């Protein structure tokens, strides 16, 4: 056997070498340079050669890291198209007012963040003055994802612009009294300003990617031309540790989303300390993004560093910058020139010689202040490069100092994220540094004043003129007047009212069938956006593939393996389905973009996202809060729902809780329908409320969550009694009585009310028959389509009573006069039906599937959790026995008879 150590590299190379002698000459040249000029020179030449090869389009592995310097040399920076002095003064006012707002708020104990905007001020100001398109021009303008902790700076600019008053600023984080400002970008709280909620870290990046992708989707489908809209996402370097921040990077590059730019504020600090104390976050992010196929622009050093780089004739400075860890860079920010001379320059004789040519002031200017993210010219050049790059998204890595201009007590300090105020003396120092005309006498009783140059000042006129040229104020949210969508033909919904006869149909399939009919509607069909996370076949949706097509910017460049089949896999540039692969987070980001298109683009879309129920709220509930905050509208469909319908898949696949989590979200209209006609009625009502004519007092900015099941069951006809339609929407109606079920109980038979939701109603109906035939008990069965909506209505009624208004909760009115106790049953944990317990006047008890799941048959699982028909019978008898309406021995006898 050959000794592995004796194998030459060429023997391991699987690429054939047609000219080994030429290869040897190149290798010898590298050896010669290394020997003559040293390894640093050899490495430099190799990097430059690889960069040249990449620029020429040669098929080589990408160079994942470049030197720790600016991507755009100073000589190549374009001139800023504007008045840099005026922009400097505008930025100074914004810095001041952002800090003043938070400091004044701290007197009320509401806090806020100062240091983040201080580091990122120029990243925003340059964009507002030169790049961010507003919504009053052509198209939809740009979409801005503002870093949540920078919100005081955005408010400060809106104040300078005249869109906010001092009263607004003084009510930062104090909204209860009206005229207040939310802590972070919250569209639901300030819907004329904020478009995108971003402070739940990691959701901004993934949402921005899918927003840019959705813009392309609308363009490709011919709904709206968004080729001039650009998505800008402002992020923190620490935020990039969130898995959602980077999970969709390859999607953005794969689909060539050059309408997207990430601007990452690399101030090297997260909330408690350095982002990468012993490493370099900029280099790590560069490698990550370049490896994912993004264009990377680094803006690290300000113009003060130009002199140092010119003195660096042998690369010693560049090498030192690459090796110094981030935490040490942070330390340089707080130390004097002598320390920096010794620790940074003193490590290398060539750097020590360079340092002798530099004054202390020069060293401090470079290491304390001069960063690429703090100079408009550097940021302007980076933004121009981002917009000029085609075929891939761009990330700008802008190095800044956290707490810049706030004084030595703030800049680069580990605790500055939690520091909520400056002292009067610190404000005066800041005023002098920024050159603001604020007098000492303006500080009345130690309160820092807001600053404003005047509505007719050169600064304000310039700011407003720049925004007018770019299409109006930004950020801004605009809901364009859009006519309500016409209601689809009634037959699409009415076809479910007659039931399925002897045919068994799962409610998942009923929903899919309904959607098939709705997407064919001539008026609204094209507005539907089906979203599936690689489970379309599981839900029986593959028949939509050939008719609607799966969206792909490249269309279909291959012949699908099932092309000869009726339901073949069809991709198309104008495809309507968004099939995202195995990514619930990506699918939710798609849904959010589509559900808010009515505001972002003035185009109403009707998204429905269908998923395994346990992979919805359990996995992406944070995005569902984001959806509610962003005022999204659409249908979330938890398929194969309920803990006991997912047999054989055990604990992690067991959904016993999604309605409980959904109930915590005020924007989620949560339904657990039992029958196909209920599904149709709920969807019909959702279309009316969200896209048609909402009733007075109804908020259209909600989304519907429906649980649907994969158990085929005979679907009954819709009952003809009064109040059924209202009950389906409000959450409860009587499905049948013992008498209407043909059970003919005795005149004096004990009676109870069985409330059930989802597939549990089938076991309740079986229990109804067992109770009558074997135990002489009459039971009426109710369908509880929404425990949550019943609870919300009851809480509203309680609130009305406190205001002196007489109002009875719907659940109490519906059950008024119903005889006997109430037993509520669900495939979910008891907490779900127990939501209504306090408003039910009758004796109330419940059954549910609490505890961890298990792998077994459906029947065995329901027996295990005590929610099958026989368990319902025993629970009902026990409830009646406590009331003295049946003998206590009946409970024991029933347990034994039914094998419990």
């Amino acid at each position: 056997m050959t000794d592995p150590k004796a194998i030459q590299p060429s023997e391991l190379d699987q690429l054939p070498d047609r000219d080994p002698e030429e290869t040897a000459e190149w290798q010898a040249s590298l050896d010669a340079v290394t020997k003559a000029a040293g390894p640093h020179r050899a490495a430099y030449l190799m990097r430059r050669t690889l960069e040249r090869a990449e620029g020429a389009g040669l098929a080589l592995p990408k160079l994942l890291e470049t030197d720790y310097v600016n991507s755009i040399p100073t000589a190549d920076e374009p001139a800023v198209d504007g008045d840099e002095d005026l922009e400097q003064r505008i930025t100074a006012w914004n810095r001041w007012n952002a800090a003043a707002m938070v400091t004044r708020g701290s007197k009320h104990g509401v806090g806020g963040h100062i240091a983040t905007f201080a580091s990122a001020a120029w990243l925003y100001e340059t964009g507002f003055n030169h790049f961010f398109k507003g919504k009053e021009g052509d198209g939809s303008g740009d979409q801005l994802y503002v870093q949540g902790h920078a919100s005081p700076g955005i408010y400060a600019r809106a104040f300078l612009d005249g869109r906010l008053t001092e009263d607004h600023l003084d009510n930062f984080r104090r909204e209860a009294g009206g005229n207040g400002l939310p802590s972070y970008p919250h569209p639901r709280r300030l819907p004329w300003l904020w478009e995108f909620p971003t402070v739940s870290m990691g959701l901004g990046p993934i949402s921005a990617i899918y927003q840019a992708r959705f813009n392309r989707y609308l363009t490709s489908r011919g709904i709206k031309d968004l080729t001039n809209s650009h998505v800008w996402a402002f992020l923190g370097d620490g935020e990039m540790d969130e898995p959602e921040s980077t999970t969709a990077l390859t999607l953005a590059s794969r689909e060539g989303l050059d309408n997207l730019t990430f601007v990452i504020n690399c101030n090297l600090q997260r909330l408690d300390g350095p982002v990468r104390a012993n490493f370099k976050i900029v280099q790590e992010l560069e490698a990550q993004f370049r490896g994912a196929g993004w264009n990377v622009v680094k803006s690290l050093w300000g113009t003060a560093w130009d002199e140092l780089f010119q003195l660096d004739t042998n690369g010693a400075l560049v090498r030192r910058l690459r090796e110094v860890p981030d935490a040490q860079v942070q330390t340089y920010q707080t130390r004097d020139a002598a320390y920096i001379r010794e620790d940074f320059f003193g490590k290398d004789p060539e750097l020590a010689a360079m340092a002798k040519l530099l004054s202390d002031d020069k060293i401090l200017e470079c290491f304390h202040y001069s960063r690429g993210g703090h100079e408009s010219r550097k940021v302007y050049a980076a933004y121009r490069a981002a917009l000029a790059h085609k075929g891939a998204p761009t990330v700008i890595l802008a190095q800044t100092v956290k707490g810049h201009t706030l004084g030595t007590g703030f800049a680069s300090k580990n605790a500055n994220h939690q520091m909520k105020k400056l002292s009067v003396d610190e404000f005066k120092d800041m005023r002098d540094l920024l050159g603001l005309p604020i007098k000492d006498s303006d500080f009345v009783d130690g309160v820092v004043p807001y600053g404003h140059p005047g509505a007719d000042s050169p600064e304000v006129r310039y700011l407003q003129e720049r925004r007018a040229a770019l299409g109006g104020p930004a950020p801004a949210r605009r809901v364009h007047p859009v006519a309500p969508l016409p209601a689809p033909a009634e037959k699409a919904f009415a076809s479910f009212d007659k039931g399925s006869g002897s045919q068994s149909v799962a409610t998942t399939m009923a929903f899919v069938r309904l959607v098939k009919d709705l997407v064919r509607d001539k008026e609204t069909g094209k507005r539907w956006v089906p979203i599936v996370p690689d489970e379309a076949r599981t839900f029986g949706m593959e028949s939509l593939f050939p008719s609607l097509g799966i969206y792909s910017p490249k269309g279909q460049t291959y012949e699908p393996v099932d092309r000869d089949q009726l339901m073949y896999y069809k991709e198309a540039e104008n495809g309507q389905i968004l099939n995202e692969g195995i990514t619930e987070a990506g699918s939710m980001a798609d849904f959010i973009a589509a559900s808010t298109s009515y505001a972002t683009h003035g185009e109403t879309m009707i998204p429905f996202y269908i998923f395994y129920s346990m992979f919805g709220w359990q996995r992406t509930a944070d995005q569902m809060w984001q959806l509610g905050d962003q005022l999204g509208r659409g249908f979330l469909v938890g398929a194969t729902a309920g803990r006991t319908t997912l047999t054989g898949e055990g604990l992690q696949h067991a959904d016993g809780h999604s309605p409980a989590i959904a109930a915590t979200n005020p924007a989620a209209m949560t339904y657990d329908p039992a029958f196909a006609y209920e599904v149709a009625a709920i969807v019909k009502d959702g279309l009316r409320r969200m896209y048609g004519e909402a009733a007075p007092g109804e908020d259209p900015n909600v989304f519907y969550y429906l649980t649907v099941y994969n158990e085929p069951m005979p679907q009954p006809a819709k009952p003809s009694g009064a109040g059924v339609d209202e009950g389906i929407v409000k959450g409860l109606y009587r499905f049948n009585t013992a008498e209407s079920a043909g059970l003919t109980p005795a005149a004096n038979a004990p009676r109870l009310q069985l409330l059930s939701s989802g597939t549990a109603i089938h076991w309740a109906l079986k229990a109804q028959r067992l109770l009558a035939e074997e135990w002489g008990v009459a039971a009426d069965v109710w369908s509880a389509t929404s425990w949550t909506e019943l609870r919300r209505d009851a809480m509203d009624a309680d609130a009305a009573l406190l205001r002196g208004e007489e109002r009875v909760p719907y659940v109490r009115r519906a059950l008024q006069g119903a005889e006997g106790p109430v037993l509520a049953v669900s495939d979910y944990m008891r907490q779900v039906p127990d939501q209504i317990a306090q408003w039910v006047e009758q004796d109330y008890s419940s059954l549910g599937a609490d505890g961890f799941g298990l792998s077994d048959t459906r029947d065995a699982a329901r027996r295990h959790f005590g929610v099958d028909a026989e368990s319902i019978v025993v629970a009902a008898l026990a409830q009646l026995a406590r009331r003295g309406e049946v003998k206590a021995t009946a409970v024991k006898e029933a347990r034994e008879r039914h094998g419990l």
Side-chain angles (χ1 to χ4, degrees):
M1 179 180 291
T2 304
D3 182 356
K5 296 179 181 179
I7 299 176
Q8 298 301 311
S10 60
E11 294 176 66
L12 296 174
D13 190 351
Q14 297 185 41
L15 296 174
D17 189 345
R18 65 184 183 185
D19 192 343
E21 291 185 8
E22 182 183 34
T23 303
E25 291 175 3
W26 280 81
Q27 293 170 337
S29 297
L30 179 62
D31 292 342
V33 171
T34 304
K35 184 177 181 179
H40 297 308
R41 178 61 180 171
Y44 174 86
L45 292 174
M46 287 299 299
R47 286 199 302 274
R48 292 295 176 263
T49 302
L50 286 172
E51 288 173 358
R52 182 64 172 266
E54 184 177 325
L58 299 183
L60 288 174
K62 287 182 176 294
L63 185 66
L64 295 185
E65 280 189 43
T66 59
D67 288 327
Y68 200 65
V69 297
N70 295 347
S71 301
I72 304 170
T74 301
D76 292 341
E77 294 169 0
V80 176
D81 180 22
D83 189 323
E84 293 185 69
D85 290 336
L86 273 177
E87 291 179 21
Q88 184 82 37
R89 279 148 55 188
I90 291 169
T91 306
W93 285 116
N94 292 339
R95 288 181 182 280
W96 177 272
N97 288 322
M101 178 194 326
V102 176
T103 296
R104 288 167 69 130
S106 68
K107 295 182 180 296
H108 303 285
V110 295
H113 302 285
I114 304 176
T116 294
F117 176 73
S119 66
W122 275 113
L123 303 180
Y124 292 104
E125 195 60 40
T126 303
F128 285 132
N129 285 325
H130 302 282
F131 295 95
F132 304 156
K133 294 187 286 292
K135 296 183 176 300
E136 296 173 3
D138 295 334
S140 298
D142 288 352
Q143 288 82 58
L144 308 182
Y145 288 79
V146 175
Q147 190 178 1
H149 292 141
S151 61
I154 308 304
Y155 290 140
R157 195 174 204 277
F159 168 66
L160 205 65
D161 193 11
R163 294 201 287 163
L164 293 176
T165 66
E166 286 194 15
D167 189 42
H168 284 113
L169 301 192
D170 262 349
N171 282 288
F172 173 60
R173 290 193 171 201
R174 293 195 299 154
E175 299 180 82
N179 213 31
L181 300 177
S183 54
Y184 300 125
H186 290 302
R188 187 170 285 273
R189 299 305 311 156
L190 201 62
W192 60 268
L193 179 72
W194 298 120
E195 271 196 291
F196 307 108
T198 52
V199 81
S200 191
M201 292 190 181
L203 299 192
I206 190 172
S207 295
I209 290 173
Y210 280 89
Q211 182 66 58
R213 199 280 195 97
F214 188 72
N215 291 357
R216 290 282 175 85
Y217 170 87
L218 290 180
T219 302
S220 297
R221 290 194 56 209
I223 291 175
K224 186 170 186 178
D225 184 356
L226 297 170
T227 52
N228 291 324
S229 284
H230 199 83
V231 178
W232 301 82
F234 290 84
L235 317 168
D237 47 0
E239 180 179 8
M240 300 312 294
D241 284 345
E242 290 285 2
E244 295 91 346
S245 294
T246 56
T247 187
L249 296 185
T250 52
L251 167 71
S253 59
R254 184 169 66 246
E255 298 200 1
L257 298 181
D258 51 23
N259 60 338
L260 169 67
T261 298
F262 275 15
V263 182
I264 302 182
N265 177 16
C266 298
N267 57 35
L268 313 185
Q269 288 183 248
R270 52 190 176 197
L271 276 60
D272 287 335
V275 178
R276 292 290 183 273
N278 296 297
F279 306 93
K280 302 192 78 64
I281 186 59
V282 169
Q283 299 300 90
E284 180 179 317
L285 290 173
E286 178 184 29
Q288 190 170 18
F289 277 87
R290 286 175 67 89
W294 286 52
N295 175 47
V296 178
V297 177
K298 294 197 289 191
S299 182
L300 307 181
W301 309 110
T303 53
W305 283 82
D306 288 348
E307 179 184 343
L308 277 67
F309 288 122
Q310 290 170 2
L311 293 172
D312 185 32
T313 57
N314 57 14
L317 176 62
V318 173
R319 292 195 300 273
R320 182 67 178 138
L321 289 173
R322 282 176 60 87
E323 69 186 23
V324 174
D326 284 352
Q328 192 63 25
V329 173
Q330 181 185 352
T331 298
Y332 293 149
Q333 176 68 35
T334 63
R335 298 301 182 91
D336 59 20
Y339 178 89
I340 298 171
R341 284 182 187 277
E342 178 181 353
D343 192 87
F344 181 83
F345 292 97
K347 303 293 184 181
D348 185 302
E350 295 174 355
L351 289 180
M354 178 192 297
K356 293 179 180 178
L357 304 176
L358 305 174
S359 67
D360 285 356
D361 287 344
K362 181 66 177 181
I363 289 176
L364 293 178
E365 179 186 13
C366 288
F367 284 84
H368 284 193
Y369 307 108
S370 187
R371 300 291 188 273
H374 293 326
E375 296 187 13
S376 62
R377 186 173 294 268
K378 302 293 185 184
V379 177
Y380 183 90
Y383 288 3
R384 280 276 173 238
L387 294 180
H389 187 83
K390 301 302 177 185
T394 293
V395 58
I396 295 170
L397 303 176
Q399 186 163 267
T400 66
V401 174
K402 193 167 186 177
H404 183 58
T405 73
L406 297 180
T408 56
F410 258 87
S412 279
K413 294 298 176 67
N414 280 337
N416 61 20
H417 188 81
Q418 281 74 33
M419 296 164 69
K420 313 298 184 186
K421 60 184 177 181
L422 278 72
S423 68
V424 169
D425 288 340
E426 287 172 325
F427 266 110
K428 290 178 180 179
D429 290 342
M430 181 183 178
R431 172 201 61 189
D432 297 340
L433 176 66
L434 298 176
L436 293 174
I438 296 174
K439 302 185 294 292
D440 286 355
S441 59
D442 293 334
F443 293 81
V444 179
D445 297 327
V447 177
V448 58
Y450 294 120
H452 200 293
D456 196 40
S457 64
E459 293 95 329
V460 173
R461 289 201 308 270
Y462 178 86
L463 181 156
Q464 293 175 341
E465 288 168 0
R466 298 302 299 182
R467 288 312 316 158
L470 287 165
R477 182 179 182 271
R478 295 286 185 270
V479 179
H480 305 277
V482 177
L485 293 182
E490 179 64 26
K491 66 179 181 180
F493 307 100
S495 63
F496 294 92
D497 290 351
K498 61 185 179 182
S500 64
S502 60
Q503 181 183 6
S504 293
V505 178
T507 50
T508 294
M509 293 309 303
F511 176 81
V512 171
R513 178 184 146 191
L514 175 63
V515 167
K516 287 179 182 177
D517 291 339
L518 294 176
V519 296
R520 295 192 190 103
D521 186 84
K522 292 182 180 180
E523 295 288 338
T524 60
K526 70 175 183 178
R527 299 285 173 180
W528 284 86
V529 183
I531 302 169
V532 193
D534 199 37
E535 292 282 5
R537 298 182 193 279
T538 302
F539 308 134
M541 293 176 59
E542 65 270 27
S543 62
L544 296 178
F545 290 168
S547 59
L548 300 183
I550 300 166
Y551 170 71
S552 169
K554 289 185 176 294
Q556 195 153 39
T557 61
Y558 59 92
E559 182 177 354
V561 67
D562 52 2
R563 182 64 180 85
D564 57 343
Q565 298 178 16
L566 181 63
M567 293 183 286
Y568 70 96
Y569 195 81
K570 177 187 175 183
E571 296 187 85
E573 289 184 47
N574 63 346
Q576 192 165 351
I577 300 170
L578 294 173
N579 191 322
E580 289 308 338
I582 305 174
T583 167
E584 285 78 21
S587 299
M588 270 304 302
D590 255 339
F591 185 88
I592 292 170
S595 70
T596 54
S597 181
Y598 73 92
T600 309
H601 299 306
E603 293 288 346
T604 301
M605 306 301 289
I606 312 172
F608 78 87
Y609 165 33
I610 188 167
F611 50 89
Y612 263 66
S613 63
M614 72 286 184
F615 291 146
W617 291 89
Q618 175 172 307
R619 184 167 290 188
T620 58
D622 196 12
Q623 286 177 289
M624 291 162 180
W625 275 98
Q626 178 189 12
L627 167 66
D629 192 349
Q630 203 166 317
L631 290 80
R633 306 170 183 174
F635 297 94
L636 296 176
V637 184
T640 61
R643 182 186 297 279
T644 54
T645 60
L646 300 168
T647 58
E649 300 190 27
L651 275 63
Q652 286 181 287
H653 280 188
D655 172 23
H657 53 273
S658 68
I661 303 175
T664 66
N665 191 312
M669 307 289 293
T670 304
Y671 289 91
D672 186 25
F675 304 124
Y677 66 81
E678 293 178 352
V679 172
I682 293 164
V683 171
K684 179 181 177 181
D685 183 70
L687 290 172
R688 175 199 61 80
R689 176 170 179 170
M690 295 185 291
Y691 302 103
E693 296 287 354
E698 276 188 328
D699 182 4
N701 299 314
V702 295
F703 59 93
Y704 280 60
Y705 175 58
L706 282 74
T707 53
V708 292
Y709 295 79
N710 67 339
E711 291 180 84
M713 306 291 289
Q715 295 296 323
K718 180 173 154 182
S720 58
V724 172
D725 289 330
E726 178 189 26
I728 292 173
V729 173
K730 286 187 173 293
L732 182 69
Y733 69 96
R734 181 151 37 197
F735 176 73
N736 70 14
T737 63
E739 290 77 9
S740 65
L743 298 176
T744 61
N748 61 347
R751 184 177 290 270
L752 81 157
Q753 309 299 317
L754 295 178
L755 277 57
S756 52
S757 65
T759 54
I761 200 169
H762 297 285
W763 329 130
L765 289 169
K766 181 180 177 182
Q768 179 190 45
R769 185 166 296 278
L770 289 173
L771 284 166
E773 294 177 349
E774 301 188 17
W775 304 100
V777 172
D780 300 338
V781 175
W782 299 68
S783 179
T785 55
S786 179
W787 310 99
T788 300
E789 290 311 304
L790 292 173
R791 174 180 173 80
R792 287 175 177 166
D793 171 81
M795 290 193 298
D796 287 344
D798 286 353
L801 284 173
L802 293 176
R803 296 192 300 269
E805 303 171 18
E806 288 295 329
R807 186 172 154 204
V808 179
Y810 174 81
V811 64
R812 186 169 295 168
R813 286 190 285 118
L815 291 170
Q816 188 173 13
E819 298 178 40
V822 168
L823 176 60
V825 187
S826 158
D827 266 2
Y828 293 97
M829 59 200 312
R830 289 176 60 183
Q831 180 179 336
V832 175
D834 283 351
Q835 290 181 86
I836 66 170
Q838 72 185 81
W839 293 280
V840 176
E841 292 183 321
Q842 293 86 345
D843 290 343
Y844 188 93
S845 63
S846 63
L847 297 176
D850 286 79
F852 283 117
L854 76 166
S855 302
D856 212 309
T857 66
R858 287 171 174 157
D859 289 344
R862 287 197 168 94
R863 175 58 60 89
H864 169 80
F865 287 118
V867 294
D868 61 345
E870 292 77 11
S871 298
I872 294 173
V873 168
V874 173
L877 293 174
Q879 200 172 10
L880 291 169
R882 285 194 296 271
R883 294 163 57 93
E885 296 181 23
V886 299
K887 294 180 179 179
T889 56
V891 181
K892 180 175 183 295
E893 184 182 347
R895 279 201 305 268
E896 294 172 350
R897 182 182 303 181
H898 297 304
L900 294 179

